[in-house]
Each structure stands twice: as C-alpha cells, then as structure tokens.
Amino acid sequence: MAHAPAKPDLSELYRKAFLIRETELRLLELFTQGKVNGTIHTCVGQEFTGLAVAEAMKAGDLVFSNHRGHGHFIAVTGDLAGLVAEIMGKASGVCGGRGGSQHLHKDGFYSNGVQGGIVPVSAGMALALRLKASDNICAAFVGDGTLGEGVVYETLNIASKWSLPLLIVVENNLYAQSTPQSQTLAGGILERARAFGIEASAGSTADPGALVEAAAAAASGVRSGRMPRLLQVDTYRLKAHSKGDDDRDPAEVRTAWDRDPLTLYAKTDSRKAAEFSKAAKDAVAKAVAKAESSADPACAAEAPAAPRPCRWVPADLSSDRTVVALINEALARALEDDRRVVLLGEDLLDPYGGAFKVTRGLSTRFPGRVFNTPISEAAIVGLGNGLALQGLLPVVELMFGDFLALAADQIINHASKFRYMYGDTVSVPLVIRTPMGGRRGYGATHSQCLEKHFLGVPDTELLALNCRVDPGRVYAAVFKAAERPVIVIEDKLLYAMRLSRPVAAGFRWEHTDERIPCARLRPDADPDLTILAYGGMVPHAEAAAEALFDEHDLAAEVIAPVRLSPFDPGPLLESVRRTRRLLVAEEGVGFAAFGSEAASRVLEAGISPFSLKRVACHPHPVPSASPLEKAALPGPGHIISAALELCHGE
Amino acid sequence: MANDPLLVLVPKENVNDETVRLSAWRLKDRSPVAAGAVVAEIETSKAVIEVLSPAAGFLRHAAAEDSVVAVGGPLCWVTAGPEDPIPTTAQPGSEEGLFDTAAGARFSKKAHALALKHGVVDAFAGRGLVRESDVRAYLKRQGKAAAGQDQGACMTHLKGVSIVKEDLPRRKLAEIHSLSQGQNAGLSSLVRVPCPLAGYRKSLSRSPELAATPLALVVYETARLLRKHPVFNAFYEDGRLARYGEVHIGFVVDSGRGLAVPVVRDADKKDLPAVAREMQDLMLAYEEGSLSADAVSNGTFTVTDLSGEGAVSFHPLINERQSAILGIAAASGASFDLSLTFDHRLAEGRAACIFLKGLRDRLAGEA
C-alpha cells in the first residue's frame, strides 16, 4: 500500500475529515442538550469512507446513503448548514425538517433509514442513467450489518446481469448495531460480490491515501466498464451505534481510538490538526447558530379537498374487447405517447407476454423499454423507485398481488415517503400493476386480496379496476398525471371480461365525471339499500342486485369506486343518505378493511339512522379445493343473504 | 352414426376465460374439411389459438366471425354432406325479460304476481323497476281492493250474488290507466258553448278534404288556438304548471273496434289538407288494426266527437298528463255543442269559455 503521504490533496482530505468529525461530536452534544429530535447515528472513526468515495465522484453522479449518512452527506454536498438545520428540525434544513438525520436529500444525494432498501433504488437510478446514455454513475453506501438484507442480493444480481453503473460501498465496521460480525456474517464480503460476477476490491480508513486510490479505481472501473463493482472499506465506529448503546469492550474501543487516522494525524502534524479542528469547530458553530436562529418548519397540513357534488354520466360500456386487451392497448398507447414509460416485471417479454398476457406484443413493438426481471419483487419495485426519481415513468408488474408483501418495504418505506420526507423536492411517478383475487383454485398464496394492507399509505393511490369502467381510461388518467406512486389492482377474473356484458333491464351503469371515476349501478326505482363493492366483487354485487330485485322485491344501488385510497366517500354518502342501509362486499378479509373505513365515513358524515352489514372472505387462508374456495369467498348468495338481513332483519 | 353431424365445442384453454372471441374462420361455411385441418382461430385472454377439425367432412359454422362465444358452447359442426341438416343450436335462454311484460318495465316476482292478479301489468309500461309496493300503491289509487286484502270479505258482502270475473282487454286497461291518471286528484270542470251549424258547414265546404273528415277542421283550428291558450296544452304536476312545447292533438276514434286515440303530431304547424290526410291515414290504420304504439302516444290535448253517435251532451274525461279535452256533441236545433273539460287547478271557467268562443268563431268562419 505504497502511497505518497505528502500528496497535496491529502491535507485537504484531512481538513474535511475534521469537519465531519467536529460536526458529529457537536451533534452528540446537541443531542445531550435536547436540541435534536429523535436519535442520531454518528460516523466518528469512519469519516474517510465518504470522503474517499466523494473524491471519486463527478458532477452528475448520484450517491445513496443510510442511517449513518452525515459524513457521506457533507463529503458529497458540502452543505454543512443544511445538514445541521435538518437534524435540528429547522425550516432551513435540506428537507425542511421533514426528513431528519436518516432521510437526507440534496442534489444527487439520497439517504433512507431502512437497511438495504436504498440499494435497489440506486440500481434503478443507475438503470435510468444507462437508458439516458449518461456516463455518470451511482454509488451506494451500506454497512456490513446490511449484508443480512435479501434485497441487497436481489440488486447485486440485477446490477450484474444488466451491467448497471453502480458502485456498492460496504463500510465494514464489524458490528450490526450491537451484534459483532462473528454472529451475523457467514462467508466473506468480497466473495459475495464475486459470486454475482461483480469485481470487488478493498480498502481501509486506516490508510486514507490508499483508500482514495481504491475508491477512485473502483469508481473509474464502474464508469469506464459500465459494470457494477463493490468496494469493501474496513473501518471502525468510535462512538455508539446511536446514543448510549455501546456494549463493546472498552479496551477494544480504546485501541481503535489509538489507531484512528485523525488521532494519528494530530500526533504527526499537531499544528495543522489543531488548525483544521478549530476551523471545523468554527464552521460547525456557525452552522448551529444559523440553524438555531432559523424558523421552525410551518405545520401546514394539507387541507382536505372540499367535497364536491357528484356529477354522474352514463357509462360507456360499448367496448366488447376483453379487459386484458384494453389494458394492453393502454400500455401500448403510454409507451407510444410518452418516452418516459418503461415496463418491468417477470416474464413480460414476448413470446410469453406476462403471466396474464397483459404485456403481449409490447416488447416486440417497443424494444428496449420492456424489461424481464429476475424473480425479485422487492428489487423490481426498488428499481421502479429509482427510475421514477430520475424522471422516468416506470410501470412495474407484480405477477400476483400476493407478492406485494415481498415489495412492501419499497412501497411503504420508500415510494410513499420520498416526496414528503425530502421536503417536496422529488416526485415518484411509479405505477405498480398486479392481479389479485381468487376463484381459480390457485390456493392460499396466489388468490388473496391483500390491498387492504396498502390502503391509507400516505401519498400513494390505490386503484381497483372493475368490469364496468374502461381500464384504458383509468390508465390514461394515471399516466397523464403521474406524480405519486399508484398501485393498480387488476382482478384476475376481470382480464377475460368485457365491458359490454349485458346489464340487467331496469338497471343502468353510470360514472362520476372524475379523472378516476366511481361507478354506480342505478336501479330504475328508489333504491332500498346501497351495496359498496370494488374490483372483483363488482360483478357479484351486480348479479346480487338483479336477484334481489327479481326474487326479493328489493332495489339495490351498487357503488363501485375505482380509487380506494385516498377514498372520496361522496358517491357512497349520496346513496346511503337515500337508502340508510349499507352493505359492503369485499373479497379480502374484512377485519380493519376497506368496508370498515367506508362505514366510518358514513358515520362521520352524520347519516343517521343507518344500518350496516359487511360481507367478506372467511378469515382463514384461501383454500384451493373448489368447494372450499367457493364457501370461503363471498359471492352473490352471501350478498343476498346479508341484504335480506339488512332490510328485513331476517 | 357416421352420418351424424359432429359438434365441435369452443375449447377451454385456460382457467380465466368464460368466453372467447371467434377471431376468424379459416374455412368457409359448407367447405370440405380434412381431419386435423385448422378451421378457426379463437382469441382467449391469453393467446390466439387454432381450432382443428376432429374429422373429415364439411364444415358448418355455428357462430359468426368476430363474435364472442361461450367456452364449452358450440363452435361448428362437421357433416358428411355439405347440405346435411344440422341440429338447431339451442340459444341460451335470455333471463332478461322474464318479468319484462310491460314495455320498459321490469317486475319483481311478487310485483308481477300481484299485477297479473289484478290485470294491471300494462299500467306499468315504461315504469322501470316495479316492486310489489308500487303495484299496491297503484291499486290503492285505482280504488281497487288493496292487494293482499281478503277477497272472501267481498264475497260475504255479496252473499247470494254470483260473480263472473273476466280480465279486461289490454287496450281497455291502458285507457283506464290514462284516464285515471288524468283524473287523479284532478279538479275537473266543464263548460259548454253552442256553435252555429250554418257557419260551420260553410267553413267545411271551403276545403274538399273535409268532406270525408270534417273533424280535421276542429283539430286544425284547435291546434292553432292552443298556441294562444297554452294552459290547456299542459298538465299539472306537484304544484306546478307543466306546459308542452309542442301541440300534438289526439282524436278519439271508436267504430266498434275499441277506443283508440291516434295523435296528429305538431298539428299547429300543418296546413288543413295535411291534417285531414293524416287523420284519414290514422283512421285507416285503426280500421286495419295496425295503429303503432307511436301513433297513439304523446298527445298533448284530446278531441272527442260523439256527434255522429247522436250524443247531445256528455262529459269527456281528461287524459293522463293533459289539462283539457274538447268534446263535440250532436246538434240540437241550429247549433251543436263544444265542451271543454279542464283541470281547474290550472285554469278557471272564464278562460275555458274564452277558449271555446274563440274556437267557435274560427269554426263558424267568424274569426
């Protein structure tokens, strides 16, 4: 590891290292003084990792960090004041105080607090750079503790397979929070990367000069080879994981302090060290003073939209194409009209065209814009996040809605968070399409309706297509105003249906005139009850309404919203105000589900008296055998029985 | 057996489709087909699939190209000869319309049973969904024994009197409905004005078309006059006067084939010969029993003439969604009577008199 210790730029590096260290030490002090909300994770001892990588970055490169990202942030952006203000929760913070220590964004720097989650996001950005034919690269910091996260390996696999310009930097500080590496890590770190065909190299913060060279070599390898690389940086955290949670052997920590490059620098060049330290302290003091004098963030809650009267128009049900063909056309139109649109998912390419054939023909018509992915749901959605943050409009297909569970972290902790926690400086136009629902004997893990778990996720729209609203119209609206994550639930049985299926005499379908419409089956008589249904339950509700009239002399009005979250209860309230009876029919498990929310809205609207019945799936996994499945999932018979109870107390 | 037509069903290709599109026939109807030959392409939700002939013979289509066919339903036949008879494909019974016995109405089973029992099914034409409660309400308005009430009670009241019940013809039921709607809560009144015969005859002689249909003059003049008296070309609804924008005059005909009220549309905009010709056509259709539903609907005012039957006085009844009806009675002496039954909620006797006198002057050539 020969290097020239007298390199002119190395003292500059030390100057920056002192700045990071003094910042971290001052933040710990501020924490003790109660001037920092929450906790902080300092990088005292690890400063040179961020600095070495930052040295290797060029304008336009993108850097991704984690919970321990202050040093990375200062090294990459140099915005000390913005960082300190952010951590102190001030309006002048880089994210306006919304993000805090673990959620930082400025220019090309992004951090998030969930372990490993940012890695596929960085790969998505790397893919975006590749698609834009840019020669910029991405660098993502993870700790050795994060090597326990599966999504890291999903991403390594994809990054290698797709030749993504991504540098993974593993800060190997030997501890996962409090647990020593000996208990958590099997095999080697470099070997992990090499198993994916990714070139891997190592450096150490103990030798900053060599580390700078190693980082430069790794970064230029990524830049010139358009291939991912992994750089392992051996280091040691001199302070606790967070605050007051250090159980390490004090002797071990003391030894590390003795070997710390800044301690050693102070011994070899005490004058310069003192100068750097003082300058750093002054700079930090200035940043803190500025933050303290800065205003608290304004608590401007987004005002709820004023309720507007529903305007109903006749539903256009003239199309006799199958829904799958209409979705396919909508995707083709989006690819045709909007260069930002790319499709990602498993088995999407021709000739297979997706498990439900929604993307059939699209990879042939739009080469290079439809991607077959490995079976890696979390990473695919993470890629989508990265692409969306880079201004593309990714449409991710998850083969079965059940697999949303695998991607939940990317949806809940990433897609839905970025815009808000980064202070409204980014948007995430990510579309996730996925089929849900049972009645095909696919069994417990391929038949569920899991959408209730994604209702109410902030800043995320959840739509459920149904057989009486043109999916082409819904998707056109989604693509036209894409600025936030949208999950679109496509019922499996819906694919083969046609909008033009006959409507029972005496009933007619109408839509609200909104961007994403609510549908209503209106009986040609004053309705006796309201049935609220969405997605795959809509045809069952329609059949039930017909039978309820013929057999039981009851006129039911069906309200079938497409957008479940955020939910506009207007059309529902309008109907229930007349009927005073609400029956919610949903295919998923009913506990704490959409029906509960809808019923609450009716109560909150002060509609009284009002009676309620809910019909939902049996609260056990969806069985495979046909008679068991039929009994478990609600159909028209269940709706009819519940309606009779509701209307006659039978 | 070898000669029996072989039925080819629409194959089930995946678990999702209940119907598929017959995207193309590869062989024409009645063309010779070899075993294993591709006869059609069907488009499932997942793929386009070729359907092969299971045998040699002649192909007989059971569905049209580009139509949607049910999985497991008939696709085609293979017959031994090109013209062999093939079984008629059972059309799936349409459940729609099972209770759709009055045009534009759908009855619940209970409603239908009750309406049938009371012979009032036709009264609900165009009423959308009809529930039992709707039928009960209707019967109550009609003053009929409330549905479900014990008829035995009537029987005891009429002890010793035998009753034969007979369903009224559909046309009569429609008339009852229209008239009872016309009277429903209405406060009708009647005024009568004599019209001198001499002047009227003189007017008739001026137009040769009127020789066969003298009533055309009344319809023609009434239509024009109604534009000046819109209150009689109107109806009462929920405390409001609902005026018609058009003048469609219905005239009552009944030459023993049952009462009918054909309508001359936009009578105020047509000249006298046109009105006369149209009335002749309508009367002819009545005689032939070919009056269309259209021809007897949407009247905004009605004229009824019983002078030919010798009636010197009668009280016409206002029709549904109208405010007045003009009656013509036979001459007594040198004049005949024009009478107007009108809805007193919308007009008073003086207005009715002014209207009738205006009409009299027009008919007698004094206007």
Side-chain angles (χ1 to χ4, degrees), chain B residues 11-77:
Chain B
K12 175 172 181 165
E13 292 294 337
N14 64 57
V15 295
N16 295 316
D17 293 327
E18 276 152 12
T19 58
V20 297
R21 172 183 298 276
L22 170 55
S23 44
W25 283 112
R26 289 285 195 81
L27 293 175
K28 285 186 177 156
D29 193 38
R30 292 182 164 75
S31 59
V33 59
V38 179
V39 297
E41 272 178 16
I42 58 169
E43 188 188 318
T44 72
S45 62
K46 292 199 170 191
V48 174
I49 287 165
E50 294 178 332
V51 181
L52 310 183
S53 174
F58 289 87
L59 180 69
R60 307 291 289 279
H61 296 173
E65 197 165 277
D66 211 31
S67 64
V68 174
V69 289
V71 171
L75 179 69
C76 59
W77 303 86

Side-chain angles (χ1 to χ4, degrees), chain A residues 97-294:
Chain A
R98 287 185 185 171
S101 164
Q102 304 188 65
H103 317 108
L104 301 168
H105 166 61
K106 184 182 180 180
D107 305 330
F109 185 94
Y110 304 82
S111 76
N112 201 359
V114 176
Q115 295 303 300
I118 203 79
V119 179
V121 179
S122 70
M125 297 233 203
L127 175 59
L129 294 175
R130 205 195 78 185
L131 294 175
K132 293 174 186 171
S134 154
D135 68 348
N136 280 118
I137 68 169
C138 295
F141 291 97
V142 296
D144 55 310
T146 307
L147 296 177
E149 294 288 0
V151 73
V152 173
Y153 304 100
E154 293 184 10
T155 309
L156 289 177
N157 182 48
I158 292 172
S160 176
K161 205 72 218 166
W162 293 4
S163 306
L164 299 182
L166 173 62
L167 174 62
I168 305 278
V169 183
V170 181
E171 288 187 271
N172 179 31
N173 69 11
L174 307 174
Y175 287 86
Q177 188 144 338
S178 74
T179 308
Q181 198 174 81
S182 58
Q183 293 179 31
T184 59
L185 195 81
I189 295 175
L190 301 181
E191 287 77 359
R192 283 167 152 73
R194 288 171 185 152
F196 291 101
I198 293 174
E199 252 186 74
S201 54
S204 167
T205 54
D207 188 346
L211 181 59
V212 167
E213 283 172 19
S220 86
V222 171
R223 202 179 303 279
S224 58
R226 309 316 289 169
M227 275 297 288
R229 291 214 185 194
L230 182 142
L231 175 67
Q232 172 184 337
V233 181
D234 296 328
T235 188
Y236 195 84
R237 162 166 54 76
L238 294 172
K239 290 285 186 180
H241 160 75
S242 178
K243 273 292 298 174
D245 57 351
D246 200 348
D247 299 317
R248 294 175 298 183
D249 179 0
E252 176 190 307
V253 179
R254 224 170 14 250
T255 312
W257 270 108
D258 293 342
R259 292 180 188 155
D260 166 46
L262 294 191
T263 309
L264 296 174
Y265 190 74
K267 281 180 182 164
T268 51
D269 196 340
S270 61
R271 188 191 56 81
K272 222 168 197 177
E275 177 198 322
F276 287 162
S277 178
K278 178 167 185 316
K281 277 181 178 147
D282 290 348
V284 176
K286 215 169 126 188
V288 171
K290 193 177 167 197
E292 282 185 322
S293 68
S294 165

Side-chain angles (χ1 to χ4, degrees), chain B residues 178-199:
Chain B
S178 173
L179 291 176
S180 50
Q181 286 296 309
Q183 313 315 306
N184 187 28
L187 304 166
S188 75
S189 187
L190 178 75
V191 295
R192 219 182 335 251
V193 168
C195 179
L197 264 175

Side-chain angles (χ1 to χ4, degrees), chain B residues 237-322:
Chain B
E237 187 185 60
D238 297 336
R240 304 171 75 183
L241 164 68
R243 277 199 303 265
Y244 288 111
E246 289 75 33
V247 181
H248 301 328
I249 307 268
F251 61 101
V252 178
V253 290
D254 187 1
S255 64
R257 303 183 59 96
L259 182 142
V261 188
V263 175
V264 181
R265 267 161 230 290
D266 295 313
D268 59 327
K269 298 191 179 102
K270 291 173 177 161
D271 63 16
L272 181 58
V275 170
R277 271 197 307 276
E278 194 169 330
M279 288 173 67
Q280 283 161 21
D281 291 344
L282 288 165
M283 284 189 280
L284 193 64
Y286 165 81
E287 293 298 339
E288 288 171 349
S290 64
L291 271 178
S292 68
D294 253 12
V296 294
S297 47
N298 298 328
T300 63
F301 183 89
T302 306
V303 176
T304 177
D305 178 6
L306 285 181
S307 62
E309 305 298 324
V312 292
S313 175
F314 67 108
H315 183 170
L317 296 174
I318 302 169
N319 280 288
E320 184 183 12
R321 290 168 90 76
Q322 295 185 5

Side-chain angles (χ1 to χ4, degrees), chain A residues 235-372:
Chain A
T235 188
Y236 195 84
R237 162 166 54 76
L238 294 172
K239 290 285 186 180
H241 160 75
S242 178
K243 273 292 298 174
D245 57 351
D246 200 348
D247 299 317
R248 294 175 298 183
D249 179 0
E252 176 190 307
V253 179
R254 224 170 14 250
T255 312
W257 270 108
D258 293 342
R259 292 180 188 155
D260 166 46
L262 294 191
T263 309
L264 296 174
Y265 190 74
K267 281 180 182 164
T268 51
D269 196 340
S270 61
R271 188 191 56 81
K272 222 168 197 177
E275 177 198 322
F276 287 162
S277 178
K278 178 167 185 316
K281 277 181 178 147
D282 290 348
V284 176
K286 215 169 126 188
V288 171
K290 193 177 167 197
E292 282 185 322
S293 68
S294 165
D296 286 338
C299 305
E302 284 177 37
R308 56 170 227 147
C310 307
R311 283 199 298 269
W312 296 95
V313 294
D316 178 7
L317 302 178
S318 57
S319 170
D320 68 348
R321 314 283 318 277
T322 55
V323 166
V324 70
L326 294 173
I327 300 175
N328 178 273
E329 281 169 17
L331 294 176
R333 262 197 309 277
L335 284 160
E336 185 80 50
D337 297 346
D338 192 338
R339 287 298 305 168
R340 298 175 301 157
V341 174
V342 289
L343 311 189
L344 294 94
E346 294 153 15
D347 304 291
L348 300 194
L349 296 198
D350 291 334
Y352 200 73
F356 291 89
K357 307 304 164 197
V358 174
T359 57
R360 185 171 47 201
L362 299 181
S363 64
T364 309
R365 271 183 72 187
F366 304 96
R369 295 174 66 195
V370 183
F371 295 85
N372 260 0

Side-chain angles (χ1 to χ4, degrees), chain B residues 207 210 214-227 247 249 264 266-276 279 303 359 362-363:
Chain B
S207 299
L210 296 176
L215 189 61
L217 181 65
V218 178
V219 169
Y220 172 81
E221 293 293 358
T222 302
R224 270 153 187 71
L225 189 59
L226 277 172
R227 289 200 300 224
V247 181
I249 307 268
V264 181
D266 295 313
D268 59 327
K269 298 191 179 102
K270 291 173 177 161
D271 63 16
L272 181 58
V275 170
M279 288 173 67
V303 176
L359 183 62
R362 284 166 179 251
L363 294 177

